[in-house]
Amino acid sequence: AQSVSQHNHHVILSEAASLELGCNYSYGGTVNLFWYVQYPGQHLQLLLKYFSGDPLVKGIKGFEAEFIKSKFSFNLRKPSVQWSDTAEYFCAVNARDTGRRALTFGSGTRLQVQP
Amino acid sequence: DADVTQTPRNRITKTGKRIMLECSQTKGHDRMYWYRQDPGLGLRLIYYSFDVKDINKGEISDGYSVSRQAQAKFSLSLESAIPNQTALYFCATSDLMPDATDTQYFGPGTRLTVL
């Protein structure tokens, strides 16, 4: 079974600061990787996803993530955060070589951006 | 995602009551999922269904049951609610991709409080 670790539980940044949120997974097979965002009071929205190919993927709202297979990592980055990026961010993974396909989520990182 | 709806959006109930949460989707997806979200734990899988006749338990199915009434409808029931089932419940859907590149789309969530 796979597991996902998000080591930063709560991050506080000032506007224009750079952001990097860590995500590590444990699974020996081929995986799909996702970052979802949950704005206050809203449902989960897909930020970006990685299936295969270029390990640097770009998502919505200026976010990007890099898949480093050797480190089992899929860290989320943004060069300059805005107050509107205040939200909770979830990394998730599912295994491509099983039929299950349900997502395994990390515990989430709460990002607070101060104006 | 507006194509995935959940009812009710909020519910307060008492211990021992039977509760049903409903999920409907207009995306035409075969696969549907129920997750619960607890602070600091991320989302955890309760049940998932790959089609009307295929229902599977997730990590935390005890105390829950589901019904897939049609391709578009997937209901979650708490037969006898208990306070530790207080949580935010999300429904999700995904299509079946032959290359395993499924992406899940989430409903707005149901906030359930069991007193």
Side-chain angles (χ1 to χ4, degrees):
Chain A
Q2 58 265 39
S3 65
V4 180
S5 296
Q6 292 181 244
H7 305 294
N8 311 105
H9 298 294
H10 190 191
V11 173
I12 301 174
L13 295 173
S14 298
E15 277 192 313
S18 64
L19 170 72
E20 181 161 4
L21 301 182
C23 172
N24 288 90
Y25 67 94
S26 63
Y27 185 72
T30 305
V31 294
N32 297 324
L33 296 155
F34 305 84
W35 275 98
Y36 285 87
V37 60
Q38 186 178 31
Y39 297 103
Q42 297 188 26
H43 64 283
L44 276 79
Q45 301 174 36
L46 183 67
L47 261 184
L48 46 79
K49 58 188 176 183
Y50 174 80
F51 294 141
S52 63
D54 187 345
L56 183 62
V57 293
K58 294 188 184 300
I60 61 172
K61 305 185 181 185
F63 287 91
E64 64 179 30
E66 183 175 14
F67 171 50
I68 303 179
K69 189 175 181 179
S70 61
K71 296 184 177 180
F72 297 89
S73 69
F74 190 55
N75 292 354
L76 181 71
R77 299 195 292 249
K78 186 171 184 179
S80 176
V81 295
Q82 301 173 322
W83 177 79
S84 58
D85 292 325
T86 294
E88 191 155 18
Y89 293 80
F90 294 94
C91 182
V93 60
N94 68 4
R96 295 180 66 172
D97 51 7
T98 71
R100 187 169 176 267
R101 308 287 175 83
L103 291 168
T104 298
F105 283 85
S107 57
T109 297
R110 186 174 300 277
L111 172 64
Q112 184 179 346
V113 180
Q114 297 177 332
Chain B
D1 194 309
D3 299 324
V4 184
T5 58
Q6 293 182 233
T7 55
R9 295 293 310 279
N10 288 282
R11 182 72 183 267
I12 300 173
T13 191
K14 295 182 179 180
T15 297
K17 294 291 188 180
R18 185 177 187 273
I19 295 296
M20 179 180 286
L21 310 183
E22 298 187 340
C23 176
S24 295
Q25 53 112 347
T26 58
K27 299 182 81 68
H29 289 168
D30 286 322
R31 300 183 169 200
M32 299 186 74
Y33 310 80
W34 276 105
Y35 295 88
R36 66 176 277 176
Q37 182 182 16
D38 298 277
L41 295 178
L43 279 76
R44 293 178 292 164
L45 181 67
I46 306 172
Y47 270 95
Y48 60 105
S49 170
F50 285 173
D51 64 39
V52 175
K53 296 181 181 179
D54 182 6
I55 292 177
N56 305 276
K57 292 183 178 181
E59 308 158 30
I60 54 167
S61 59
D62 288 348
Y64 301 95
S65 63
V66 291
S67 173
R68 184 82 183 264
Q69 301 95 323
Q71 186 205 37
K73 296 184 182 296
F74 192 36
S75 300
L76 176 72
S77 293
L78 287 67
E79 298 301 326
S80 179
I82 55 177
N84 76 1
Q85 290 177 314
T86 293
L88 188 55
Y89 290 83
F90 286 103
C91 175
T93 75
S94 71
D95 208 348
L96 170 60
M97 303 298 290
D99 61 354
T101 57
D102 312 356
T103 298
Q104 290 187 26
Y105 297 92
F106 287 80
T110 294
R111 185 168 297 281
L112 177 66
T113 303
V114 183
L115 301 176

